[in-house]
Amino acid sequence: MKIIQNIDESSEYEYAKDYKDISEAQKDITEYIEEDKKENVCHGYTIVNDNGENMQEKAIFRDMAMSAMKSIGLPEDEATIMLEDYQF
């Protein structure tokens, strides 16, 4: 996974670091945002996998799907297996 700053803009920048864990990338993004605040600038950050898929969108969908399945009474382990079957 990679972090891309200002995706889909002319000023797009891809950070060189390759992440294995999304939480590590999210931690770095938090640090980048704090640095941006100090410099009084605003950048957008996106985590993409090797296929170019937006991992943040997948994570949001996964969380929403997990909540929905739990709300109808599906046990968490079964919901997790179902999401993994659909590669989320």
Side-chain angles (χ1 to χ4, degrees):
M1 288 178 277
K2 298 274 188 190
I3 294 176
I4 298 181
Q5 176 182 306
N6 298 334
I7 196 165
D8 297 329
E9 294 182 21
S10 61
S11 61
E12 182 175 307
Y13 174 78
E14 181 176 315
Y15 289 83
K17 186 173 180 180
D18 191 19
Y19 297 90
K20 301 293 180 214
D21 182 21
I22 195 167
S23 62
E24 182 184 356
Q26 289 170 325
K27 180 182 172 211
D28 281 358
I29 287 174
T30 300
E31 291 175 12
Y32 297 153
I33 291 170
E34 289 302 314
E35 290 174 20
D36 289 349
K37 286 179 185 177
K38 290 176 187 173
E39 297 173 8
N40 202 27
V41 295
C42 183
H43 297 291
Y45 297 94
T46 305
I47 302 169
V48 296
N49 66 12
D50 294 336
N51 298 325
E53 295 175 304
N54 185 326
M55 297 305 292
Q56 290 167 300
E57 289 174 358
K58 286 184 92 169
I60 291 168
F61 176 79
R62 180 183 173 88
D63 290 345
M64 289 173 45
M66 182 67 81
S67 294
M69 287 187 276
K70 284 187 197 176
S71 73
I72 62 169
L74 192 64
E76 187 169 343
D77 58 342
E78 289 182 36
T80 301
I81 291 169
M82 185 177 292
L83 289 172
E84 287 171 358
D85 286 346
Y86 288 98
Q87 299 180 350
F88 279 103

